[in-house]
Amino acid sequence: MSNFFKTILIVFFTVVGVNNAFADDYDVREHYTKHEYAIPMRDGTKVFTAVYSPKDKSKTYPMLMVKTPYSIRPYGVDNFPTNLGPSGGDNRFAKDGYIFVYQDVRGRFMSEGEFRNMTPHNPNKGPTDHDESSDMYDTVEFLLENVDNNNGNLGIFGISYRGFYAASSIIDSHPAIKAASPQSPMADIFYGDDFHHRGAFFLLDAFRFFRGFDQDHNNPAKQGKRDAFQFPGNDAYKFFLELGALHNVNDKIFKGNSPFWNKLMEHGDYDEFWQSRNIAPHLKNVNANVMTVIGSFDAEDSHGGTAIYEGIEKNNPRTDNFLVRGPWFHGGFVRSAGTELGNVQFDVQTSKDYKEIDLKFFNHYLKSGPDHELPEMLAFYTGENEWRSHDQWPSEEAENKTFYIHDNGAINHEKPMGEGYDEWVSDPANPVPYTQEISNGRSREYMVEDQRFAGTRPDVMVYETEILTDDLTLSGPIVADLYVSTTGTDADFVVKVIDVFPDDYPEIEAAEDKYMDVPMSGYQMMVRGEVIRGKYRNSYENPEAFKSGEVTQVKFTLPDITHTFKQGHKMMIQIQSSWFPLVDRNPQQFLNIYEAKGEDFIKATHQIHTSEEYPSSITVGVIE
């Protein structure tokens, strides 16, 4: 079987939550007994839960739990998965001895009740009011009383949406919850996760997710409705461009049958609907010890992990709170070897390293095992391809330095003098593609994709340093501080930080392993990219129009970076105003984009200013 098809199968089986295609020879059925419960919550709703207990009753075991909206199948006490515990196909937790608990969240599959996407936390609950933290509390009470041979300790983990549940379940933690690990978690789906980034709508991801996930089914049910829509071809760029204005998704495809898509279209700004679904500010009274895991190249949830770590750190100073960051795509720490992504090599089996970390973490807090030896922050720095430990995050070793861009295409620490600007015409009928791949999917590899295809366009501004004579290590958040003007009244701005490989960089030895057949000499690796919808430059709650022709500051924070630009490389910044169809098109007029008509989309001329009065730049921590 080719590596390509192995990867596809591993991702498929992991995402749907069933048997891992490459599990080892460990026989779960031989070692475990399965029980199923309909656990009553405080409002009477019954939440479906499966418990797998070791057959060896000579000792007690901690419980390790995951809550999911994606189904805990296989259902039935005689039906078993091939892998238990945190994914990876090696059953390392089962072999070590754990009781495993799987739960369909309220309103999904075999659980009763109403499902709410990104359940808002309710800090003022009455006796029968509920949210994820109360459902978890009630579940733990039941498990402690009804599951034999438990040692009184419980941990919770989960990737992606399950990571959101891991975080939201430890607010006002039940005393028995001793450890939690939100992994690649969602936290705020307007500001930076999944469906919006800095207010810009992530069209491709939202469309592909809600065309299947959000279709109603009558629960309890073992099987949900399946998506019937098929792309009429293999080119998402062409498909969405021809589909036209955003309202056509509902008018022609969903037809109002996706409840949460309807909410996306109704709540264009950061109103109470979105604010209530931001879990980070509510992370209080977290008594569990927490290890949040994130990937540097997570295309879905680049914001959530850091926000959850920061929320716990701010509100729970006595909690053991750790952050692990590796060079992974979404869940790549258990869904890949972690040795490469696309054409970029990491030279280290980072996922193997991680699988030693998570077992030590849970064993320490749930079994009184040896010290996990985790620093506050463990980060893999790409480029140099080495792990580094930090006592805090952002690292106190990093000194913030500003890199100014100049109208001659240069980047340096010298503030511009005199006048200067670059300009381009942004045409919604010809938006900048986010990838050169022709596909109706959204690859995870675009996060490190070669950007030469974009830099040749007249509507992409390109700036770069001189060839570096020393290594340049960037660490922490990147603040883009742009001074712009436009002939329109709204605009998007995309900032990409890129590592330009030297012209003598060697080719990948096994050419068939390349993600795309492009030369590695001069490769322009996107290390970090982010977008802001310009009308939200001052407030996500209260958008503001640009005044045509007036210079305006647009300042926003890109996700964190841990990367070393090696000697002989260059750092590049690309700035553009579309990223399609990853991000929906901005009509470049100040209006409700979700209701915009085809005729509302206009060409506009944008300027990026690089003058003494208006010095556009990025500021980021540099470790000497």
Side-chain angles (χ1 to χ4, degrees):
M1 183 183 293
S2 72
N3 289 334
F4 172 78
F5 286 109
K6 282 184 180 179
T7 300
I8 292 297
L9 286 173
I10 289 172
V11 172
F12 170 76
F13 283 112
T14 304
V15 168
V16 300
V18 295
N19 301 349
N20 188 289
F22 301 100
D24 61 8
D25 294 331
Y26 183 85
D27 188 344
V28 171
R29 186 186 299 271
E30 179 181 341
H31 296 279
Y32 277 81
T33 301
K34 182 180 181 182
H35 299 275
E36 293 180 336
Y37 304 96
I39 301 178
M41 301 291 102
R42 61 190 62 185
D43 65 337
T45 299
K46 293 180 180 178
V47 180
F48 193 83
T49 307
V51 177
Y52 299 84
S53 298
K55 289 183 177 180
D56 178 5
K57 304 296 184 182
S58 64
K59 55 185 176 181
T60 60
Y61 304 91
M63 294 179 284
L64 194 54
M65 182 173 174
V66 62
K67 298 173 64 171
T68 179
Y70 300 128
S71 170
I72 62 169
R73 56 182 177 267
Y75 297 105
V77 295
D78 296 324
N79 297 318
F80 287 75
T82 57
N83 190 71
L84 289 174
S87 302
D90 53 11
N91 276 302
R92 62 192 183 280
F93 281 84
K95 294 172 185 176
D96 206 77
Y98 276 82
I99 297 168
F100 298 99
V101 182
Y102 293 83
Q103 186 174 87
D104 284 333
V105 297
R106 180 186 289 257
R108 293 292 288 178
F109 293 93
M110 289 296 289
S111 287
E112 298 174 352
E114 177 191 1
F115 174 72
R116 292 182 292 172
N117 270 297
M118 295 287 288
T119 315
H121 178 71
N122 180 0
N124 301 303
K125 290 183 285 291
T128 60
D129 293 334
H130 56 85
D131 54 20
E132 296 306 332
S133 64
S134 68
D135 280 359
M136 187 65 184
Y137 198 100
D138 296 346
T139 296
V140 174
E141 287 283 280
F142 179 93
L143 294 172
L144 291 172
E145 184 175 343
N146 291 277
V147 175
D148 294 337
N149 289 91
N150 78 76
N151 72 355
N153 295 334
L154 183 139
I156 184 167
F157 72 97
I159 297 173
S160 190
Y161 213 145
R162 304 176 189 93
F164 161 77
Y165 290 111
S168 57
S169 293
I170 56 175
I171 301 169
D172 302 319
S173 308
H174 189 289
I177 304 176
K178 298 296 197 299
S181 182
Q183 302 166 359
S184 301
M186 304 159 71
D188 187 343
I189 54 176
F190 190 89
Y191 180 78
D193 291 321
D194 289 288
F195 311 125
H196 301 85
H197 284 221
R198 311 312 186 261
F201 182 51
F202 263 47
L203 169 63
L204 186 55
D205 280 14
F207 179 86
R208 291 183 61 85
F209 185 76
F210 286 110
R211 66 176 184 164
F213 175 81
D214 202 36
Q215 296 183 29
D216 286 333
H217 66 271
N218 295 319
N219 64 301
K222 294 181 180 179
Q223 194 72 41
K225 288 184 179 180
R226 293 186 178 274
D227 167 48
F229 175 81
Q230 297 294 325
F231 280 91
N234 196 39
D235 188 343
Y237 184 98
K238 179 175 182 289
F239 169 77
F240 284 109
L241 198 59
E242 292 179 348
L243 185 62
L246 189 56
H247 70 84
N248 286 321
V249 172
N250 237 344
D251 293 351
K252 298 182 179 181
I253 300 173
F254 288 171
K255 300 186 184 301
N257 292 323
S258 174
F260 202 76
W261 182 273
N262 297 338
K263 296 295 185 183
L264 288 166
M265 299 301 103
E266 293 166 6
H267 297 275
D269 304 325
Y270 195 49
D271 57 15
E272 192 277 335
F273 179 83
W274 295 119
Q275 293 172 30
S276 69
R277 284 167 168 77
N278 176 9
I279 199 65
H282 300 289
L283 290 165
K284 300 175 182 178
N285 299 318
V286 175
N287 301 307
N289 304 286
V290 184
M291 179 183 71
T292 303
V293 184
I294 57 179
S296 294
F297 305 115
D298 188 335
E300 283 97 319
D301 297 311
S302 59
H303 166 74
T306 304
I308 286 169
Y309 165 81
E310 290 175 346
I312 293 171
E313 193 76 1
K314 176 182 177 181
N315 297 317
N316 309 272
R318 291 191 297 273
T319 295
D320 285 354
N321 185 33
F322 308 100
L323 189 60
V324 178
R325 177 191 180 95
W328 304 305
F329 59 86
H330 192 61
F333 39 90
V334 293
R335 297 172 180 172
S336 73
T339 56
E340 62 188 12
L341 181 60
N343 290 352
V344 178
Q345 308 297 305
F346 305 134
D347 303 329
V348 178
Q349 294 186 24
T350 60
S351 296
K352 182 179 179 181
D353 295 340
Y354 169 75
K355 288 179 183 179
E356 297 176 0
I357 291 168
D358 67 348
L359 187 59
K360 287 182 178 179
F361 171 78
F362 281 112
N363 278 352
H364 176 70
Y365 290 109
L366 301 183
K367 293 186 174 186
S368 298
D371 190 349
H372 49 65
E373 300 178 332
L374 274 172
E376 177 86 2
M377 166 61 153
L378 180 65
F380 189 86
Y381 281 73
T382 48
E384 68 185 28
N385 293 341
E386 293 181 0
W387 291 100
R388 293 193 185 204
S389 297
H390 299 297
D391 294 332
Q392 64 183 53
W393 189 253
S395 171
E396 60 184 2
E397 303 169 62
E399 179 184 353
N400 281 339
K401 293 191 175 182
T402 299
F403 296 84
Y404 295 98
I405 63 175
H406 298 261
D407 59 356
N408 63 358
I411 300 172
N412 56 46
H413 296 303
E414 301 297 323
K415 193 173 180 180
M417 302 297 291
E419 300 297 323
Y421 65 86
D422 291 304
E423 72 175 22
W424 66 97
V425 175
S426 176
D427 183 359
N430 183 27
V432 180
Y434 80 97
T435 178
Q436 59 186 318
E437 182 183 24
I438 306 301
S439 169
N440 60 33
R442 193 269 299 132
S443 77
R444 60 200 184 203
E445 291 86 0
Y446 94 87
M447 295 287 287
V448 296
E449 187 177 338
D450 183 15
Q451 296 300 303
R452 282 175 286 196
F453 78 95
T456 59
R457 288 179 57 114
D459 50 358
V460 177
M461 303 297 100
V462 179
Y463 309 90
E464 61 183 3
T465 64
E466 297 288 337
I467 295 174
L468 297 173
T469 56
D470 297 293
D471 290 355
L472 173 65
T473 298
L474 303 188
S475 179
I478 304 169
V479 177
D481 190 5
L482 309 181
Y483 291 90
V484 304
S485 54
T486 176
T487 58
T489 51
D490 192 14
D492 290 350
F493 294 96
V494 179
V495 174
K496 297 183 292 189
V497 178
I498 297 163
D499 187 338
V500 182
F501 292 17
D503 291 337
D504 60 355
Y505 196 86
E507 293 299 313
I508 298 173
E509 289 187 13
E512 65 273 12
D513 288 341
K514 277 190 174 184
Y515 166 61
M516 287 186 177
D517 189 16
V518 297
M520 296 305 295
S521 58
Y523 191 90
Q524 295 179 7
M525 170 193 174
M526 185 170 77
V527 182
R528 184 53 74 212
E530 190 56 286
V531 59
I532 186 172
R533 184 135 288 170
K535 64 183 178 181
Y536 297 118
R537 64 196 179 276
N538 295 321
S539 169
Y540 292 101
E541 297 90 344
N542 301 298
E544 298 176 44
F546 287 89
K547 293 181 180 179
S548 182
E550 182 177 292
V551 179
T552 305
Q553 185 179 31
V554 176
K555 189 174 184 178
F556 66 103
T557 303
L558 283 70
D560 293 356
I561 187 172
T562 52
H563 181 79
T564 296
F565 296 77
K566 298 294 289 181
Q567 178 184 355
H569 292 226
K570 292 188 285 187
M571 183 175 74
M572 174 183 286
I573 296 172
Q574 290 184 2
I575 299 173
Q576 58 201 58
S577 50
S578 51
W579 217 13
F580 190 73
L582 187 69
V583 178
D584 72 316
R585 297 175 302 149
N586 191 321
Q588 304 185 131
Q589 298 193 78
F590 183 74
L591 45 73
N592 184 340
I593 296 177
Y594 301 96
E595 298 177 356
K597 306 300 182 184
E599 59 269 24
D600 293 326
F601 290 77
I602 62 170
K603 290 183 180 180
T605 299
H606 306 316
Q607 294 180 340
I608 181 83
H609 291 260
T610 57
S611 65
E612 183 177 5
E613 185 177 5
Y614 303 117
S616 295
S617 65
I618 67 166
T619 299
V620 61
V622 175
I623 297 178
E624 298 291 351

